Amino acid sequence: MSVVLASRPHARRARLTVNGDTVEADIEPRTHLADFVRDDLHLTGTHLGCEHGVCGACTILLDGEPARSCLTFAAACDGADVVTIEGLDDDAVAAELRAAFTREHALQCGFCTPGMLVAARDLVLRLSEPDERRVRLGLSGNLCRCTGYAGIVRAVMAVIADRQARGETAGGHEASRMLGPVGAHCPSVEDVPASLHAVSGPESAAGTKAPPIPVDGTFSPAHRFRQTFTVAFPPEDVFALFGEVEAVAACLPGAFVEHLPAPDRIVGGLRVQLGPIRASFRGQAVIERDEAARTGRILGAGADAGGRSATQGEIRYAVTPDETTGTTSVTLDVGYTLKGPLAQFGRPGLVRDIASRLTSSFAGNLEARLAGAPATRNDVPSGLNPARLLFSLAFDRLMRGWRRLIGRDGPRS
Amino acid sequence: MKPARFALARPRDLETALSLLAEAGEAGKIMAGGQSLGPMLNLRLVEPELVIDIAGIEELRRFGHEGDRLVIGACITHADIEDGRVPDIGDGVLARVASGIAYRAVRNRGTLGGSLAHADPAADWLTTLMALDAMVEVASKAARRRVPLGSFVTGALATALEPGELITALHVPAIAKGARFGFVKHCRKVGEFAHAMSAVVIDPERDRLRAVTGAIDAPPLVIEDAHALLGKTRSSGSVRRFDPGIVDAAFQTAGIEDAVDRHVHATVLRRAIENAWPVMPDRSRRQAA
Ligand SMILES: Cc1cc2nc3c(=O)[nH]c(=O)nc-3n(C[C@H](O)[C@H](O)[C@H](O)COP(=O)(O)OP(=O)(O)OC[C@H]3O[C@@H](n4cnc5c(N)ncnc54)[C@H](O)[C@@H]3O)c2cc1C
Ligand code: FES
Ligand code: FES
């Protein structure tokens, strides 16, 4: 059978084999294989849990090997052989596994089961003996919320043992396969999009004029953090400079000031970058200063371009003379709360690394400024240089959640 | 969540990929296995206008030898190495590391080049290949260059790749005769990113002990002469003399602030030294799970 699906704008034509049928379709590049088989081919046996490669529910066979269909784009699989759980109806190993799963009570709700069966089948084909440790290792990439794994492990071990008893050897099927990512085949025609910018990209956050979100004076930060540095200038100069919003922003890479509606108010934002992640927050801040104590507080709130992530933060600063060295020491106490998709991320130590680099670049710029140097270029440099005092803290959480999603802090089940 | 809209290019050869990358500039993003980029796209943490899929390029899916070095194409996967489809530099050294990365379904697509370009400080290849003194081969439209892995990684998730450059291959030197290799990855759940990780190469003939501690919040820490960590003794029995005090001080200097973290990293390093096994010349072996 051959299926041809209707064309769509921006789509790329790809031809795949799905469960033995040739499917030729115009596929939007951002459509991953799981959505493609579910939404376009109505093969809903493939389940989606995390969409980050962690849970294993979406595991299918690509060129005969297990792969995450949530992390594989369908249009990039031109020429690939795809087998979903529906395609394993007549597969001998899958049939044995189904029987064993039933016998051993290896499923309850069945949500994880399609991915579990694909991973289990791969183990049966690769393990030559029913070694519980290796079975458990091999299933570690498939999460089940129901069964506690005991039945699943028993089922897989039973099938391996049965096959072994029948003299069916495992291993070797993978030895001859092509090198490189499964499912990725060299396109037969050199294929370069006519115009690179045919697709309108994400809007630059700095350019989007969402109304600045209000500052809540009563907020109490979820995370706190302290940084100190010294500058070789008298405390009164340093404190005076802290009072010039635009000068401070110029020292903070990525920061931008749009306007100052009142002497103690700023509308502006911060562009941040961590590796390939770029985010831009726009919002407003309120400034309080205590001339006598040489302390101050900046309280701000901002949101990213789509308004999906929002943050609130405060920086309390204290400028104190260092009598012994004749320099000035600056203490920054930072507190912040982050909400939205970005809030799923973060990792404390990384932030220390970022924040210390950040503080030193801020201190350097501040010092240059006090020495009368011209304004520094206020762009976000590429690489890990994430600008940004205030929001570097956001990345703390960012990385922690990232680990959780990709497994480092591990979804515990 | 679903990725923002992007255009997809699937160049057939490296030259076309490099031209596209040069032309696209900031708007372009390389994709190899998509096992790190995919989650970021799905979460819209990265929103490129153009994704340049290099996974099909034959030149990047090969391996070869150059003198006593193994040259592994950037798009060789973790599973290729785990299964022994690519020769190992010594008895199961690379295969063992590969088999502990993520899960089989991820290893079937995740590539060596992608892992190094992503430069997660907790990535297994980063620490391992640093200990093995590997070099990264990098190409742009204008030129090709080789960068020692130690200077390739410039920070957490940051590399020395210039705009328009991509990784084409890794050069891994053969392990010296009689040398031993140790690798310990510590995590709560198998297949996840490490909380602590160490790789060591011990070469008794040259009296060398090179250790790398990864999974810290900065690029992996290379200790060129780790004998210093072992107190005064310099025999192979010196492992028993592993001095946690010296290691602790070294980690403190390296900026690992938390005492518990330092303890964990030190323990993992000690185990990597203790468990280092003699490396035989390549006998590619197969592992499952
Ligand atoms: C659930 C899960 C668990 C994981 N656990 C671990 C783990 O325990 N240990 C570990 O080390 N890794 C782990 N990973 C990451 C995995 O190893 C990835 O395969 C790898 O980091 C990225 O390789 P890739 O080929 O998929 O790269 P991609 O995702 O395609 O790309 C990653 C980045 O590198 C860039 N890039 C890719 N190739 C090149 C190139 N040749 N030149 C220049 N830039 C390039 C891309 O632009 C992108 O920024 C895990 C991933 C998942 C999903
Ligand atoms: S949905 Fe693909 S691994 Fe969770
Ligand atoms: S059976 Fe319900 S999630 Fe596994």
Side-chain angles (χ1 to χ4, degrees):
Chain A
M1 188 183 87
S2 175
V3 191
V4 179
L5 299 169
S7 78
R8 296 189 185 94
H10 305 303
R12 285 180 57 105
R13 179 140 285 232
R15 180 203 285 257
L16 299 88
T17 308
V18 182
N19 298 337
D21 297 333
T22 302
V23 175
E24 206 172 324
D26 289 331
I27 307 171
E28 253 211 275
R30 64 168 163 174
T31 305
H32 54 55
L33 208 45
D35 278 348
F36 178 66
V37 297
R38 286 179 57 86
D39 298 349
D40 293 344
L41 305 180
H42 308 296
L43 296 167
T44 53
T46 299
H47 292 169
L48 277 166
C50 64
E51 290 186 84
H52 305 119
V54 174
C55 75
C58 71
T59 308
I60 57 160
L61 292 177
L62 248 187
D63 293 342
E65 305 288 336
R68 300 293 204 229
S69 58
C70 69
L71 299 184
T72 307
F73 294 100
C77 290
D78 192 15
D81 179 52
V82 178
V83 176
T84 66
I85 192 69
E86 291 89 347
L88 290 175
D89 279 357
D90 301 323
D91 178 83
V93 179
E96 264 189 85
L97 279 164
R98 279 196 302 271
F101 266 54
T102 310
R103 201 170 60 234
E104 302 289 348
H105 306 292
L107 76 156
Q108 287 178 36
C109 77
F111 187 82
C112 71
T113 310
M116 204 60 94
L117 283 171
V118 172
R121 179 182 175 277
D122 175 58
L123 276 177
V124 169
L125 291 173
R126 286 190 303 124
L127 291 187
S128 48
E129 47 196 274
D131 173 337
E132 180 172 340
R133 195 189 66 89
R134 294 175 89 183
V135 169
R136 284 187 176 274
L137 271 174
L139 293 175
S140 63
N142 292 74
L143 303 181
C144 175
R145 286 288 168 196
C146 298
T147 71
Y149 305 98
I152 300 174
V153 172
R154 273 200 310 270
V156 177
M157 285 170 58
V159 172
I160 296 173
D162 289 352
R163 284 172 55 86
Q164 198 187 25
R166 293 199 305 266
E168 288 177 50
T169 51
H173 80 286
E174 75 274 20
S176 58
R177 79 186 220 205
M178 224 168 66
L179 293 173
V182 294
H185 297 259
C186 204
S188 50
V189 194
E190 195 144 330
D191 186 65
V192 176
S195 162
L196 286 180
H197 303 284
V199 173
S200 69
E203 281 169 28
S204 131
T208 347
K209 290 273 192 271
I213 64 169
V215 178
D216 168 12
T218 62
F219 110 105
S220 84
H223 304 273
R224 291 181 190 278
F225 192 80
R226 169 173 285 195
Q227 284 284 307
T228 43
F229 62 91
T230 50
V231 271
F233 284 90
E236 51 278 11
D237 293 7
V238 178
F239 188 70
L241 187 75
F242 266 78
E244 295 170 38
V245 171
E246 269 152 332
V248 172
C251 296
L252 195 63
F256 55 92
V257 173
E258 279 171 9
H259 63 114
L260 304 168
D264 65 344
R265 259 178 199 276
I266 320 163
V267 174
L270 203 60
R271 282 180 288 270
V272 290
Q273 180 169 358
L274 176 66
I277 303 171
R278 284 164 216 261
S280 186
F281 289 90
R282 187 171 165 271
Q284 57 181 319
V286 179
I287 307 165
E288 292 163 14
R289 272 163 74 82
D290 182 337
E291 299 283 342
R294 289 209 195 99
T295 60
R297 180 180 186 228
I298 304 168
L299 188 66
D304 69 358
R308 291 177 293 128
S309 296
T311 185
Q312 284 209 40
E314 67 165 11
I315 303 177
R316 289 175 189 273
Y317 60 90
V319 174
T320 45
D322 192 331
E323 308 296 352
T324 48
T325 56
T327 57
T328 295
S329 100
V330 180
T331 306
L332 304 171
D333 281 301
V334 186
Y336 74 98
T337 299
L338 188 62
K339 292 181 181 140
L342 275 171
Q344 299 176 58
F345 300 89
R347 186 169 120 214
L350 192 61
V351 158
R352 273 201 297 276
D353 179 57
I354 294 166
S356 63
R357 281 193 255 175
L358 193 65
T359 308
S360 72
S361 96
F362 179 69
N365 289 343
L366 204 68
E367 212 152 41
R369 185 100 186 178
L370 287 161
T376 39
R377 216 175 109 69
N378 199 13
D379 261 358
V380 185
S382 57
L384 179 98
N385 213 340
R388 330 84 270 212
L389 217 47
L390 224 145
F391 293 99
S392 67
L393 294 163
F395 284 107
D396 164 22
R397 304 227 43 223
L398 187 106
M399 289 314 289
R400 192 172 336 125
W402 182 249
R403 290 320 141 122
R404 198 171 305 126
L405 286 170
I406 58 182
R408 183 188 166 121
D409 281 328
R412 271 141 279 164
S413 52
Chain B
M1 236 163 88
K2 311 296 175 193
R5 198 165 266 167
F6 57 79
L8 177 71
R10 303 195 62 228
R12 262 175 73 75
D13 53 53
L14 187 58
E15 286 316 308
T16 317
L18 291 170
S19 301
L20 280 168
L21 188 61
E23 201 182 322
E26 288 268 282
K29 193 90 190 110
I30 296 282
M31 177 170 76
Q35 302 301 289
S36 291
L37 188 61
M40 290 188 154
L41 286 169
N42 286 354
L43 281 160
R44 299 200 181 186
L45 289 171
V46 188
E47 302 186 0
E49 285 176 43
L50 176 73
V51 170
I52 305 163
D53 173 15
I54 58 167
I57 299 177
E58 284 305 328
E59 183 180 344
L60 304 178
R61 298 168 65 129
R62 296 195 202 119
F63 65 86
H65 292 275
E66 203 175 276
D68 66 350
R69 278 180 301 175
L70 173 64
V71 183
I72 312 176
C75 288
I76 295 294
T77 63
H78 314 319
D80 288 333
I81 293 169
E82 175 185 19
D83 294 349
R85 279 185 295 281
V86 172
D88 214 310
I89 50 155
D91 190 16
V93 165
L94 299 178
R96 180 176 137 186
V97 174
S99 69
I101 297 177
Y103 315 107
R104 181 74 181 180
V106 173
R107 298 199 289 275
N108 279 329
R109 282 185 56 81
T111 69
L112 217 65
S115 179
L116 296 178
H118 188 59
D120 189 311
D124 298 46
W125 286 128
L126 214 55
T127 297
T128 309
L129 294 176
M130 267 189 189
L132 294 170
D133 214 0
M135 226 160 32
V136 186
E137 189 179 294
V138 158
S140 70
K141 230 182 141 196
R144 287 194 176 212
R145 62 185 179 117
R146 290 176 185 184
V147 195
L149 198 52
S151 44
F152 177 77
V153 186
T154 56
L157 304 186
T159 67
L161 280 176
E162 300 283 346
E165 277 187 333
L166 60 77
I167 300 177
T168 51
L170 290 312
H171 292 240
V172 193
I175 290 194
K177 247 171 89 187
R180 292 187 290 149
F181 177 78
F183 177 70
V184 171
K185 174 182 178 181
H186 169 74
C187 40
R188 260 199 303 263
K189 169 179 179 284
V190 261
E192 66 173 16
F193 273 98
H195 296 284
M197 175 169 22
S198 275
V200 298
V201 178
I202 305 172
D203 185 349
E205 262 171 50
R206 285 178 201 75
D207 194 24
R208 286 196 63 201
L209 170 52
R210 187 183 157 90
V212 179
T213 283
I216 55 178
D217 297 302
L221 178 68
V222 184
I223 306 171
E224 280 295 344
D225 182 10
H227 278 297
L229 305 180
L230 301 178
K232 294 218 166 60
T233 329
R234 283 194 159 220
S235 68
S236 54
S238 59
V239 164
R240 257 173 264 121
R241 300 282 192 115
F242 184 85
D243 188 330
I246 300 178
V247 177
D248 194 69
F251 285 159
Q252 210 159 352
T253 312
I256 308 175
E257 286 179 15
D258 189 273
V260 175
D261 284 351
R262 287 199 301 275
H263 174 75
V264 174
H265 286 297
T267 306
V268 165
L269 176 56
R270 176 175 55 77
R271 285 187 194 156
I273 297 174
E274 282 171 2
N275 299 351
W277 79 96
V279 179
M280 306 305 218
D282 173 35
R283 280 197 289 111
S284 299
R285 56 171 197 176
R286 182 163 296 130
Q287 285 188 322

